[in-house]
Amino acid sequence: MQRHLNGLHYIFHFYLTCQSDLPDTYWPLWTLLFLQEPSSSLLEGLRTCSSPVLVSSFLKFLQGNPGFCSFYVPFAKTLYSLTNRRFPIWVISHAGHALAPKDKKILTTSDDSNAQEIKDIYGLQGQVEHKLAFLRTHVPKEMKLVVIGHSIGCYISLEILKLAPELPIIRCFLLFPTIERLSETPNGRIATPLLCWLRYALYVFGYLLLKPWPEKIRSLITRIGLQMMNVQYEFSVLNILEPFCIANAVYLGGQEMMKVVERDNETIRAHLSKLTFYYGTMDAWCPTKYYEDIKKDFPEGDIRLCEKKLPHGFIIHFYGEMAGMIADWLKDDLSKIEALTHGSATDS
């Protein structure tokens, strides 16, 4: 892994292999990219750096569910560069969508003594709670956050706003949001029977077909496939053909089809001033009718329709265009944060 890190312009603490002093319970739940200069520990870095931009990367197919953060590296690097490298960026994956070292344990609760253990951690609500456990345990309370959700990450972002109003989230960008009537969408009508009714068959198929293959064969097949699709990646992508990760992705997808039904208008209304919605014009997971409906319900909201014909899975080939738009949207917010930070430093 270190030979990959040495070749990058930025310092990526990927899978946290460089942070041996991080709690053991942290590992399996987070596939993390941290774009900043290394410090003595990740937690010390969080306390001393400027306010971070938190990118919750959960999306359908290759972009979130399954949650393979490797594909987000080009997007994160571009966004980091466009914001003048002033703010660290974290890319966070789903629990169980990445393999971790055998000597690491699963974080099932936050450090709060009153916190309850997360149940069904690979399910939809468990994914929400495990992100909250990380934020509450490892992110300083005074640190401002900008959350960028993509696809099902938008649903999780809204849940975080609802369940943890104490978190200092100043902006939340929801890209191609799958936050309602998911099983009724064109893709949802196809995915529902596969993920809900036939998921055990997919489990068996995945384990019987992929488990016997040596790691080198799986790695070779994955790399050939990605090269044929002209997909950029900079870190290990073995999780794509790992039966354990595939099973968790299928399980999560089935829960999404069943549980993402009604739009959470109450949470949206409560946080409307910090929300930006971005809908696609050719999105089979989130048709334009959903854009028209939410625009009618919240005419005063910042709800936009894509004018560039970007696909739902923009992260594969159109990450530069999306990073450019987000950087433009963030300019005023980040400038205000920086001004406040400098002002506080001057006062002290």
Side-chain angles (χ1 to χ4, degrees), residues 151-223:
S151 192
I152 197 60
C154 301
Y155 175 91
I156 294 176
S157 298
L158 289 176
E159 285 292 295
I160 289 174
L161 287 172
K162 178 173 69 175
L163 298 175
E166 76 279 4
L167 291 175
I169 298 174
I170 61 168
R171 284 297 300 275
C172 186
F173 297 100
L174 306 179
L175 312 177
F176 303 91
T178 54
I179 57 175
E180 60 174 308
R181 296 173 284 174
L182 191 49
S183 64
E184 299 177 21
T185 65
N187 280 350
R189 286 193 289 269
I190 298 172
T192 298
L194 290 174
L195 299 177
C196 297
W197 308 335
L198 301 176
R199 66 184 177 96
Y200 291 106
L202 294 176
Y203 293 168
V204 173
F205 176 79
Y207 275 91
L208 291 180
L209 179 65
L210 301 176
K211 195 65 175 179
W213 291 2
E215 184 175 296
K216 291 183 178 180
I217 298 297
R218 275 185 280 162
S219 177
L220 177 63
I221 292 174
T222 300
R223 294 179 187 281

Side-chain angles (χ1 to χ4, degrees), residues 39-80:
S39 57
S40 59
S41 72
L42 175 63
L43 302 185
E44 182 61 24
L46 288 176
R47 293 186 177 94
T48 57
C49 70
S50 301
S51 298
V53 177
L54 177 64
V55 184
S56 319
S57 55
F58 318 110
L59 55 151
K60 294 293 183 182
F61 298 120
L62 294 177
Q63 293 74 41
N65 182 16
F68 303 136
C69 284
S70 303
F71 297 107
Y72 280 83
V73 175
F75 170 76
K77 287 174 63 176
T78 304
L79 182 57
Y80 183 61

